[in-house]
Amino acid sequence: MLPFIVGAAVLVGVALLLLLPPLFRGSRKQAAVPADADAGQAETALVVLREQLAELEAEHAAGRMDETTYRRSRDELERRALDEGEAGAATLVAAPSRYWAVVVAIGVPVMAAAVYLILGNPAGLDPRQIAGEQQFDPQQIAGMVNTLAERMEREPDNVEGWSMLARSYVVLEDYAKAAAAYAHVAERVKDDPDLLADWADVVAARDRSVAGEAEQIAKRALELDPGHPKSRLLAGTAAYQRGDYAGASAHWERILATVPAGDPVVASLLEGINDARAKGGLPPLSAPAAPAAPAPAVPAAAAGQGGELSLSGRLALAPALAGKVKADDVVFVFVRGEAGGAPLAALRFTAGELPRDFSFSGVPRMAGDSPVPAKVTLAARVAKSGNPSGGPGDLEGRMAGLAPDTTGVALVIDQVRE
């Protein structure tokens, strides 16, 4: 309230500074000029000009003055008459006085306050009156959205406007209209995964299910950006709703791999992953460990150790087996010691990603701090049963006798497990 009053007072003061000085100066100047004398002089000048105009008319009528001279002379007399008339009028105006200056100084603030009390909102100056006041009610928002919709019907190619309309419908929770608006934008913008993910999200809200149209839209986004987190999350949810728990976990694990350890989202994401893994008969996943300081180098010859596990290469599926897999089948790639035993480390993909590169560099060790053997076996399995330990019908590939730091390995899944 105080800032408003101060601002209003400053504006009134500025207005008075512009109005009052001329009034005071005018009264001093006019005091030295006899107004009656000025009026008499102006009247005399006008009488003389009228007589000259009459003579000019007579000369022209008698033919003693040509038309051009007549018009020029008449214009000159009319101009002089106008000047004398203005001068006379100026002397007839009442001279400003200190009286009027005082009236203005008092009247302007009083009138400003009166006008505000009549036309303004004095209650708005009280913070208690405006506390908690909402800017727009739902009816006003709906009216503005309808106005925007009518405008967009006239501007079908206004992508930004249609996107705003879609988001506005989401605010109103009108998911059917929001989905239609996103579909309109998607017809004109073909390569924006963010747009497709937002569209899929709205369609899922409309249908109360991700499986179906929403999943297909999310897959279109993943074709543009395989690492798009929102689309990957929706695809995993769709798989979960279909009962494909291994596929859901695989989608969500790819998101987890991009989240820094210690981020608050890790806990909720890991909870969803382990729920899917439990329902799919898979072992639970541990939380990713925070990055540790690099361990000192260990000589490769020490106690049969093979050094750091950094095996890398490319994994592919034999063309003859292509018809036996689905895009969302789970693929495990793991490294064991040449003598067998538990896997030292493992990776997880989906069959739809093959062929693809892989690397065990930096992958958390499943065997803890046990030493890496000098020779290891690399194996890959398409787990049709969803069980990482393998079962009949699984597709496999294997290479043995590899150093743990071998690069450029070409592993092919080319066998069917009996």
Side-chain angles (χ1 to χ4, degrees):
M1 179 173 67
L2 182 59
F4 174 82
I5 295 175
V6 172
V10 170
L11 292 176
V12 171
V14 171
L16 292 176
L17 287 175
L18 296 174
L19 293 174
L20 296 180
L23 295 178
F24 284 108
R25 288 196 301 269
S27 63
R28 289 195 298 270
K29 290 181 180 178
Q30 293 295 336
V33 178
D36 292 341
D38 286 346
Q41 292 176 4
E43 183 64 26
T44 301
L46 290 174
V47 170
V48 172
L49 290 172
R50 281 196 292 270
E51 291 177 352
Q52 291 178 350
L53 182 59
E55 294 176 358
L56 183 64
E57 296 284 353
E59 289 289 325
H60 179 259
R64 291 191 292 272
M65 182 178 294
D66 60 74
E67 184 68 22
T68 301
T69 303
Y70 165 72
R71 289 183 178 278
R72 185 171 60 252
S73 300
R74 188 185 65 181
D75 291 344
E76 176 64 21
L77 288 175
E78 289 176 349
R79 185 186 61 77
R80 290 170 57 193
L82 181 61
D83 292 342
E84 292 294 340
E86 290 177 350
T91 61
L92 294 176
V93 175
S97 67
R98 295 181 184 274
Y99 168 78
W100 285 109
V102 173
V103 170
V104 170
I106 297 175
V108 167
V110 172
M111 289 183 66
V115 169
Y116 181 76
L117 290 174
I118 296 171
L119 302 178
N121 180 26
L125 297 177
D126 186 356
R128 293 172 298 178
Q129 296 291 331
I130 61 175
E133 184 178 314
Q134 294 183 352
Q135 191 170 7
F136 298 109
D137 58 34
Q139 290 76 19
Q140 289 174 316
I141 295 176
M144 289 186 289
V145 173
N146 290 335
T147 301
L148 177 61
E150 293 172 359
R151 176 188 164 196
M152 289 302 99
E153 290 298 329
R154 300 189 297 270
E155 303 177 16
D157 295 326
N158 186 343
V159 171
E160 183 177 352
W162 276 94
S163 299
M164 182 183 300
L165 179 62
R167 292 191 295 270
S168 301
Y169 281 135
V170 172
V171 172
L172 296 178
E173 298 184 357
D174 191 340
Y175 300 117
K177 290 183 178 179
Y182 274 123
H184 183 94
V185 178
E187 291 178 357
R188 290 156 175 80
V189 180
K190 304 292 186 181
D191 57 353
D192 188 343
D194 291 334
L195 169 65
L196 292 173
D198 291 342
W199 181 20
D201 197 15
V202 169
V203 170
R206 181 198 66 189
D207 299 343
R208 298 182 181 276
S209 174
V210 184
E213 183 183 357
E215 182 180 9
Q216 298 306 314
I217 298 171
K219 286 183 176 179
R220 287 172 54 185
L222 289 174
E223 290 174 359
L224 296 171
D225 180 6
H228 195 270
K230 185 174 183 179
S231 301
R232 185 67 65 182
L233 181 66
L234 290 169
T237 304
Y240 187 94
Q241 291 176 348
R242 291 197 315 272
D244 180 8
Y245 302 115
S249 178
H251 282 297
W252 296 338
E253 285 176 44
R254 291 197 62 177
I255 301 174
L256 182 64
T258 66
V259 180
D263 192 297
V265 77
V266 169
S268 59
L269 191 56
L270 191 62
E271 182 180 357
I273 290 171
N274 283 334
D275 175 64
R277 291 176 69 88
K279 292 181 177 179
L282 302 175
L285 200 66
S286 301
V298 178
Q305 295 182 7
E308 181 185 1
L309 180 59
S310 58
L311 193 65
S312 63
R314 187 167 182 81
L315 175 65
L317 178 68
L321 301 181
K324 295 182 178 293
V325 300
K326 298 179 181 179
D328 54 359
D329 283 343
V330 180
V331 179
F332 296 98
V333 184
F334 47 89
V335 177
R336 283 191 174 96
E338 194 172 29
L344 300 174
L347 299 171
R348 181 173 179 159
F349 311 121
T350 59
E353 300 175 62
L354 301 180
R356 66 159 292 162
D357 295 331
F358 68 89
S359 174
F360 283 88
S361 179
V363 175
R365 295 273 300 282
M366 300 175 66
D369 296 330
S370 61
V372 178
K375 295 293 181 180
V376 297
T377 296
L378 174 68
R381 175 181 298 122
V382 179
K384 301 292 291 184
S385 61
N387 187 350
S389 62
D394 287 351
L395 311 180
E396 298 179 335
R398 182 184 303 269
M399 296 182 69
L402 300 173
D405 57 354
T406 304
T407 61
V409 175
L411 178 60
V412 179
I413 300 174
D414 55 1
Q415 300 175 13
V416 179
R417 183 166 180 169
E418 300 296 335

